Amino acid sequence: MDEVSAPPIASARFGIGEVVRHRLLDFRGVIFDVDPVFANSEEWYQAIPAEIRPSKDQPFYHLLAENGEGSYVAYVSQQNLVADEEDEPVDHPAIDNLFEAFEPGRYKLRPEHRH
């Protein structure tokens, strides 16, 4: 497996607790972790259609996501995320374990999860 090193300046556009929407696919979610560069399996990466496969040298976000069919965990490149404009909470069963109060556009991380 090829190692991918962080670019000289790896800056995440979004932070933990922010509610975001996928730019191409119909889902939204709350960010619960950020990788400075791609950190998933090569098999997962190759499963993305080549015409929309993102570069590995950008931040990737772990989301508690929801769509019209249910909730799940998603892993999304920075280039495929935009700020969510709904100002509504995300419907995911794991949110209460990680976050407390919801304010429009973001969740506040529970004190025991801050580092």
Side-chain angles (χ1 to χ4, degrees), residues 8-54:
I9 301 172
S11 61
R13 187 177 306 145
F14 304 104
I16 306 293
E18 277 190 73
V19 179
V20 292
R21 178 171 296 283
H22 196 284
R23 190 171 58 85
L24 304 171
L25 306 175
D26 187 26
F27 71 86
R28 59 195 290 267
V30 59
I31 296 168
F32 70 91
D33 198 9
V34 182
D35 294 333
V37 294
F38 180 80
N40 206 331
S41 71
E42 187 62 22
E43 180 182 12
W44 183 92
Y45 185 73
Q46 293 300 325
I48 301 169
E51 62 275 6
I52 62 168
R53 190 177 300 143

Side-chain angles (χ1 to χ4, degrees), residues 54-77:
S55 167
K56 291 182 178 181
D57 63 350
Q58 63 181 310
F60 275 73
Y61 299 84
H62 299 260
L63 309 178
L64 298 176
E66 68 168 349
N67 64 18
E69 298 169 15
S71 58
Y72 54 97
V73 173
Y75 191 63
V76 185
S77 65

